[in-house]
Amino acid sequence: MQQEPSGHGPAEIVACVSQKGGVGKTTTAVNLAAALAENKIRTLLVDLDPQANATSAVGVEKQAGRSLYGPLHGEGTALQKVTKTAYSPLSLIPSEEDLAAAEIEIAQMENYLGKLHAILQPVRASGRFRVILIDCPPALGMLSMNSLAAADFLLITLQCEYMALEGLGQILRNVERLKAARVNERLELGGVIMTMYDARTNLARQVVDEVRQHLPDKIFGTVIPRTVRLSEAPSFGKPITAYDPDGPGTEAYRGLAAAVIARFGLKYARPAVQIGRAHF
């Protein structure tokens, strides 16, 4: 797939977060990244979850020394960790278990909330990528908070289940704290993605309607269905676009990618000014 020419402004940094595990966060990060790449958007997927599920889901083997653990400690650069995938123009910065230790160690460092921001600046300014998509750990720990401090936009994945709005509220309160403390004043809620949707249940429809009432301008119209194929794809090291090209999961993530491209203006060049400036 032919890549976009370089020379655009700095990449947008998008953090994909959830308040807990098992809600389709990594599934969304991987498959949204692959669908953006299908649209010739030069995408870098950053696996910041120590479980490294996003890494294996795009067919990259876990190897020691390939994660952002070293750069977060001042050893090497993030650009040196960029790895090609089989789904060009999708690239990856892998994860590994050592990032679990970073949760504790970063908290003891100076400027502990700004570590990820600092090491990603050369990446975003390099002109190699149009979007940097971070798969955060499934909790609001130190790595996730670093992701929020580095990001321009926040994508929240919510499972279509009871109590979904409680998790949403917790994330949004942390965003406001970061902005109030001037850690990242440019951070914006890019959108809410409803996952594991089962049209046969009244509960799923009610949860989507409730989120739509609270955040009508932020919830994406595309909902991600609960499908066996989406669950199977990671075990084959493939995004859903490659594993089941014509299935409902692929259709959903392609629709989501189209909405993200439109909402964030990813098809168009940005002027190379004010790195980190949010666009909507």
Side-chain angles (χ1 to χ4, degrees):
M1 200 177 275
Q2 185 178 359
Q3 294 188 6
E4 283 186 280
S6 60
H8 295 301
E12 306 287 6
I13 299 181
V14 180
C16 190
V17 303
S18 64
Q19 190 270 338
K20 62 176 184 176
V23 300
K25 171 189 60 66
T26 295
T27 297
T28 292
V30 168
N31 292 309
L32 174 58
L36 290 173
E38 274 195 337
N39 282 273
K40 301 182 181 180
I41 306 296
R42 292 172 292 115
T43 303
L44 175 63
L45 177 61
V46 178
D47 190 352
L48 209 62
D49 186 343
Q51 298 178 81
N53 290 331
T55 297
S56 57
V58 293
V60 175
E61 292 186 9
K62 304 171 191 177
Q63 291 184 18
R66 298 180 69 183
S67 76
L68 286 179
Y69 181 87
L72 285 169
H73 288 74
E75 301 169 2
T77 69
L79 276 170
Q80 292 171 336
K81 306 300 181 181
V82 173
T83 301
K84 292 182 179 180
T85 75
Y87 310 102
S88 178
L90 174 61
S91 298
L92 171 75
I93 294 182
S95 178
E96 55 180 319
E97 292 179 2
D98 58 4
L99 281 179
E103 284 279 8
I104 301 170
E105 295 164 356
I106 290 175
Q108 301 169 13
M109 299 178 183
E110 186 178 352
N111 188 28
Y112 58 91
L113 285 177
K115 291 298 182 183
L116 184 65
H117 172 79
I119 66 173
L120 287 183
Q121 288 313 299
V123 182
R124 74 180 300 168
S126 68
R128 291 177 57 182
F129 307 105
R130 187 66 189 86
V131 61
I132 299 169
L133 183 61
I134 305 172
D135 181 36
C136 301
L140 293 176
M142 192 55 61
L143 289 174
S144 291
M145 294 301 288
N146 261 259
S147 298
L148 297 182
D152 302 301
F153 296 113
L154 171 65
L155 292 181
I156 300 175
T157 54
L158 285 186
Q159 186 177 358
C160 295
E161 64 172 12
Y162 185 64
M163 305 286 280
L165 282 176
E166 284 198 3
L168 175 62
Q170 183 178 355
I171 294 171
L172 294 179
R173 285 191 294 273
N174 277 280
V175 169
E176 290 307 312
R177 291 190 187 105
L178 286 174
K179 296 176 78 168
R182 297 186 177 181
V183 173
N184 184 1
E185 294 180 271
R186 71 187 181 280
L187 179 62
E188 297 288 346
L189 173 59
V192 177
I193 303 162
M194 304 305 299
T195 63
M196 301 182 181
Y197 181 80
D198 187 344
R200 299 169 298 178
T201 68
N202 289 329
L203 177 60
R205 292 191 294 270
Q206 290 169 0
V207 171
V208 172
D209 288 343
E210 191 173 3
V211 175
R212 187 172 287 120
Q213 288 176 9
H214 283 80
L215 296 167
D217 298 327
K218 297 299 184 182
I219 186 171
F220 285 100
T222 300
V223 295
I224 308 302
R226 184 188 294 274
T227 73
V228 173
R229 292 291 194 177
L230 278 171
S231 300
E232 291 175 345
S235 64
F236 290 88
K238 295 180 178 181
I240 194 64
T241 50
Y243 181 67
D244 187 25
D246 301 315
T250 295
E251 181 182 358
Y253 277 110
R254 284 174 175 158
L256 177 62
V260 167
I261 289 168
R263 185 172 294 189
F264 299 164
L266 297 180
K267 281 289 190 183
Y268 303 99
R270 301 281 193 204
V273 296
Q274 197 168 340
I275 292 177
R277 183 179 176 85
H279 304 277
F280 223 132

